[in-house]
Every structure is written in C-alpha cells, then in structure tokens.
Amino acid sequence: MLSLIDPVTLLLASLIIFTGALTQSLIGFGLAVVATPLLYIVDPELVPAPVIAMGFSIALLTLIRERGHLEFNGLQYALLGRLPGGLIGATLLLLAPQPIMGLTIALIVAVAVFLSLRKYSIKINRLSLFIAGIFSGIFGTVAAIGGPPMALLLAGKDASQFRAALSAFFIFSSLIALIILGCFGLLTLRHLWLSLLLLPAVFLGFLLAGRLVGRVDKEKTRVLTLALCALSALLLTIKSSLALING
C-alpha cells in the first residue's frame, strides 16, 4: 500500500488529517475545512473521496461518544437534499479542470469560514433542512466540506446535541457522497487504500482530543482554526490561479 503514495506526501497528509481530526473532536467541526485545501495542495487525488472517508470515521467516533444526546428528528429531510446536491457536486468534479476545482474548493472554504464567524437564526423546518442538505451535498461532494450549511441551521442546539446531530448526519451523508462518487467513476480502489493509510491519523487526533477536552480554550481554538482555514484557502487560490494562468 505504501507504493500508492510517496512517503513524504503520506506523512504530510497524515499530519493534516491528524490536525483536522483533533480540531473537530475538540470544537465540533474542522476536519474537512482544515484538511481539504491543504491536502489539495499536497496531492489533489486526496480530495474529495479520502477526506469524505475520514469524515465518516470521525463522525462515527463522535456519535459513539455523544450517542446519549442524539436527536435525529427532521434530519431525514436534509439527507434527501444531499441527493440532488451530491449529483450537482459530482457533475462539477467531472467537468471542471483541476485549477478551477482548486478555486472552487478555496471558495467553499472561504464560505465555510464566513458562515462560522456569523450568527444567524434560521427556523428549522422541512424546507430549510432540505435546502441546507442540497448545499451540504454540493459542498460535501466537491470538497468534503458538507458541514457549514447544517452547522448554520443547528447552531441553536447545545454543544452535545450539536455534535451528535451533525455526526449522525455526516455518517449517512458521507455514505451517500461516496456512493455518488462511485457511480460517477470518481471513487476507486486506490482511494480506499489511501483512506486506510490515513485512518490512524484520525484515531490519534480523536484520542488526543479526549485527553485535552476541558484543558483548552475552545473559542481560541476555533479562532485559530478559522485563521488556518482562511490562510489555506488563500494559498490554494494563489496556486490554482497561477496554474490557470500558466495553463
């Protein structure tokens, strides 16, 4: 399996995934928003399928930990929205050249950072859940970043309910995204092997977060995470723009 990826690339990718998993386990989001732009710079093949698989893993671990706080009421409407959103996202992946995809991912990260900084109060109903699911499907399939639309909608819940609800949603939505990618020929055996190689980094980040909970300032961690995401989006924008100009 190691022949699938350069050892230095694997080390960098594992460090990025570890940081994302640690962040998400501490504050409720971060794996995809942190990892996607950086991994796309390191090796575009690592986005989106392996990141989606890592997101599924951390969501499953989080839900096991927060299962007593789960309220799944209404999330089925968001999952319905993931279907058309995922189809739109997969179509974009097929049609757009790599530099355009890089710029698209950078834009999605910037939108995610913006939404994370703002405080909105949106009524939760079937329509709003379905619409959030559509945008989550587009963002999640293109860049593995399906969280911000749902996080925006569920922001009024307490921290444990928030993490549990998002984790339950991500478990099912990640499976939907992987199935859609497979149907479009965008999920291969190579992607699955790469995911297995990166899986230990997810477990290490999750386990370390369990020891750090209560010892770190979550708000400062959140701000630092968003700053890192913004910087990553900027670097990816510069790289993709230069590739587009030189191409």
Side-chain angles (χ1 to χ4, degrees):
M1 286 193 297
L2 290 175
S3 62
L4 290 171
I5 186 171
D6 177 79
V8 175
T9 302
L10 176 60
L11 179 61
L12 286 173
S14 296
L15 180 60
I16 292 167
I17 290 292
F18 168 79
T19 303
L22 174 64
T23 303
Q24 180 155 332
S25 299
L26 287 173
I27 64 176
F29 77 96
L31 189 144
V33 182
V34 169
T36 294
L38 293 175
L39 287 178
Y40 201 81
I41 292 172
V42 170
D43 184 353
E45 194 171 13
L46 295 171
V47 179
V51 183
I52 293 173
M54 297 304 98
F56 172 84
S57 303
I58 196 68
L60 184 60
L61 291 170
T62 303
L63 183 60
I64 291 172
R65 186 182 64 191
E66 305 284 358
R67 60 190 180 277
H69 302 280
L70 178 61
E71 292 181 5
F72 200 75
N73 294 339
L75 288 182
Q76 64 268 29
Y77 300 106
L79 289 172
L80 284 174
R82 283 286 303 214
L83 293 172
L87 293 173
I88 294 170
T91 302
L92 291 173
L93 285 172
L94 280 177
L95 297 179
Q98 195 173 100
I100 296 297
M101 284 311 307
L103 291 173
T104 302
I105 289 171
L107 176 61
I108 290 174
V109 173
V111 170
V113 171
F114 176 77
L115 292 179
S116 298
L117 289 171
R118 304 289 294 179
K119 298 292 183 182
Y120 296 99
S121 179
I122 301 175
K123 186 176 180 180
I124 301 178
N125 53 39
R126 294 177 182 180
L127 180 59
S128 62
L129 283 164
F130 182 73
I131 293 173
I134 291 175
F135 281 101
S136 177
I138 297 172
F139 289 9
T141 306
V142 170
I145 304 174
M150 292 302 299
L152 179 66
L153 200 59
L154 301 175
K157 293 182 176 293
D158 68 44
S160 296
Q161 288 179 326
F162 176 83
R163 288 193 296 268
L166 274 186
S167 297
F169 174 77
F170 286 142
I171 287 172
F172 291 101
S173 62
S174 296
L175 291 175
I176 292 171
L178 290 173
I179 290 171
I180 290 175
L181 289 175
C183 292
F184 276 71
L186 297 169
L187 176 64
T188 65
L189 188 59
R190 176 181 171 81
H191 290 127
L192 297 178
W193 283 124
L194 289 172
S195 299
L196 284 176
L197 289 173
L198 293 171
L199 196 56
V202 173
F203 286 108
L204 287 174
F206 180 80
L207 291 174
L208 180 59
R211 293 181 175 273
L212 293 178
V213 169
R215 300 183 185 181
V216 298
D217 188 316
K218 291 187 177 181
E219 185 57 30
K220 288 182 180 178
T221 302
R222 176 176 171 273
V223 171
L224 287 173
T225 299
L226 293 176
L228 173 62
C229 294
L231 177 60
S232 301
L234 177 60
L235 292 175
L236 182 54
T237 298
I238 293 172
K239 179 185 177 182
S240 299
S241 298
L242 289 175
L244 197 61
I245 292 171
N246 295 329

